[in-house]
Amino acid sequence: MVEVHVTAERLIVCVLFFTHAVNTATNMMMRAAQFEKGGPENLYVAEVARPVLGEGQVLIRVHATAINRADTLQRKGLYPPPPGESDILGLEAAGVVESFGPGCSGKWKIGDRVMSLLAGGGNSEYVASPEKLLMPIPEGMDYINAAAIPEVWLTAYQLLHFVGKVQTGETVLIHGGASGVGTAAIQLVSLAGAKSIVTAGSENKIATATSLGASIGFNYKEGDFSQKVLDATNGKGVDVILDCVGGSYYEQNMNVIATDGRWVLYGLMGGGQISGDVLAKLLRKRVSITGTTLRARSLEYKTKLVGNFTEKVLPHFKSGSVKPIVFTTFPLEKIGDAHKMMEENKNTGKIVIEVIQDTDKKDEL
């Protein structure tokens, strides 16, 4: 038999080493939204490993995030993340800089309040973001409102300026006028010196849209809106259409788009099938149709978009001439309820997910 003698000092060292190892392992974990393919009831929160930072990435401690239609599609197995990106839901986040990966520029410092456009991973306590996609949270704005900016405002800016090429004095038809993208687009159209017309599914949503600057709105549940749009434009039609619906609106869109109009398709909530004399009508009006998404765009493209937006739009949040529209908030543990609300089209503006409670967030304002 072999006798083992352990001194008190060695025992203490072993205990301390074990405690340190446990704490280290715990500190490398985080809460994050997880799901099994299917309905909102399949969403849950679990402990997962924190992201490992790559070249030029920054770790954000997330205070608030948000949900988007893309998240509901991913949950159903219809919209996977781009290759190499996190499979955790969440396309935006607002929080503080926690640490830096290799190759960062030194522009930011630990503790800076930032918001970011993401390709995934935002519905969690920590997320890795390319440094180039960070934006400063406007002075005086809390994390809840900041989390309502990146995805929908950058999408709307891209649709109007990078793709739609909106010009002063033009008229823009915005479908889903009370959605997150819609409420942002209305305000951006006004900033561009143009006029917006919206469609939405209730009088309350139309009232919200007009309060944000839309010239008029029409309830799509009340039938064909095309003649109403033509009447509102004295028969000219609209110069730009921001279309998140697709197939079911094709005929009405074709009726209202002006000659040489730009039709920007960024969603297919009404399906992707159309029939009829499509090409002849496009040819007659010299219409340009462009399909576009943002999530799978290159880092170079997103960097240019974020830079333009930061320079030309972000100052207007501080002045109060534009504002994010937050419909309601849910704690991370209730993310399934948030998805259910979005799929029932109950929201006007953004549904935000609070990751760190309000008392923590206020301390850092």
Side-chain angles (χ1 to χ4, degrees):
M1 179 180 293
V2 178
E3 294 184 8
V4 178
H5 298 280
V6 180
T7 65
E9 289 82 0
R10 285 185 178 179
L11 182 60
I12 291 171
V13 169
C14 289
V15 170
L16 290 174
F17 178 81
F18 177 77
T19 302
H20 175 74
V22 169
N23 289 338
T24 299
T26 301
N27 289 338
M28 296 307 293
M29 303 298 286
M30 67 177 184
R31 292 182 304 135
Q34 301 286 285
F35 65 94
E36 297 174 3
K37 187 170 73 173
E41 68 278 3
N42 290 351
L43 281 158
Y44 60 97
V45 174
E47 291 280 325
V48 301
R50 289 189 195 179
V52 177
L53 296 180
E55 186 77 17
Q57 289 188 325
V58 173
L59 188 67
I60 300 172
R61 184 187 184 208
V62 179
H63 284 244
T65 178
I67 64 171
N68 296 276
R69 291 283 174 185
D71 297 312
T72 65
L73 292 173
Q74 182 176 334
R75 191 201 70 231
K76 296 174 183 176
L78 301 175
Y79 191 30
E85 299 293 349
S86 173
D87 59 4
I88 296 172
L89 302 175
L91 303 181
E92 57 204 329
V96 297
V97 173
E98 179 81 3
S99 62
F100 300 94
C104 288
S105 69
K107 176 181 178 181
W108 305 92
K109 64 182 186 296
I110 291 174
D112 280 347
R113 300 173 68 246
V114 296
M115 53 189 179
S116 184
L117 177 71
L118 305 166
N123 295 166
S124 59
E125 288 185 305
Y126 294 89
V127 67
S129 168
E131 182 191 28
K132 294 178 179 179
L133 301 187
L134 296 184
M135 296 175 284
I137 295 176
E139 185 179 342
M141 182 179 288
D142 63 23
Y143 294 107
I144 295 294
N145 280 280
I149 293 175
E151 172 66 16
V152 295
W153 280 81
L154 286 166
T155 294
Y157 189 84
Q158 176 207 21
L159 299 176
L160 287 168
H161 294 285
F162 279 39
V163 184
K165 307 293 184 185
V166 66
Q167 303 296 313
T168 301
E170 290 189 325
T171 301
V172 182
L173 175 61
I174 302 169
H175 294 311
S179 66
V181 173
T183 54
I186 291 166
Q187 297 176 75
L188 290 172
V189 167
S190 296
L191 275 185
K195 181 174 79 171
S196 61
I197 297 172
V198 304
T199 63
S202 73
E203 294 308 311
N204 285 338
K205 289 185 176 184
I206 290 170
T208 297
T210 54
S211 74
L212 292 173
S215 61
I216 195 168
F218 303 110
N219 189 335
Y220 64 83
K221 294 180 180 177
E222 295 178 353
D224 191 333
F225 56 78
S226 59
Q227 188 56 52
K228 297 173 184 177
V229 173
L230 289 172
D231 291 343
T233 58
N234 297 316
K236 177 183 179 294
V238 298
D239 303 287
V240 180
I241 299 177
L242 303 189
D243 182 11
C244 56
V245 178
S248 62
Y249 279 11
Y250 164 73
E251 290 288 348
Q252 296 176 81
N253 283 338
M254 187 56 70
N255 289 340
V256 303
I257 196 162
T259 301
D260 294 316
R262 287 94 68 201
W263 184 341
V264 183
L265 179 67
Y266 71 101
L268 295 172
M269 293 175 63
Q273 300 293 320
I274 57 175
S275 60
D277 199 7
V278 178
L279 297 180
K281 292 179 179 179
L282 290 173
L283 188 63
R284 240 183 344 260
K285 285 191 170 183
R286 302 191 298 272
V287 173
S288 299
I289 296 184
T290 305
T292 186
T293 59
L294 181 55
R295 186 182 191 183
R297 294 274 192 176
S298 68
L299 178 58
E300 180 183 12
Y301 180 96
K302 292 178 182 178
T303 300
K304 181 179 179 182
L305 177 64
V306 166
N308 271 258
F309 181 84
T310 299
E311 177 187 349
K312 297 178 180 178
V313 179
L314 214 53
H316 293 281
F317 286 99
K318 184 178 179 180
S319 71
S321 55
V322 300
K323 60 183 180 180
I325 306 300
V326 175
F327 181 68
T328 191
T329 64
F330 288 89
L332 182 61
E333 287 73 16
K334 296 290 185 180
I335 192 169
D337 294 338
H339 275 236
K340 186 173 184 289
M341 175 177 282
M342 173 166 279
E343 291 186 324
E344 292 173 348
N345 293 319
K346 290 182 177 180
N347 59 299
T348 299
K350 291 288 288 184
I351 299 172
V352 172
I353 304 299
E354 194 168 11
V355 180
I356 293 179
Q357 292 302 306
D358 189 67
T359 52
D360 295 325
K361 137 173 125 268
K362 285 180 179 175
D363 289 342
E364 298 192 27
L365 280 174

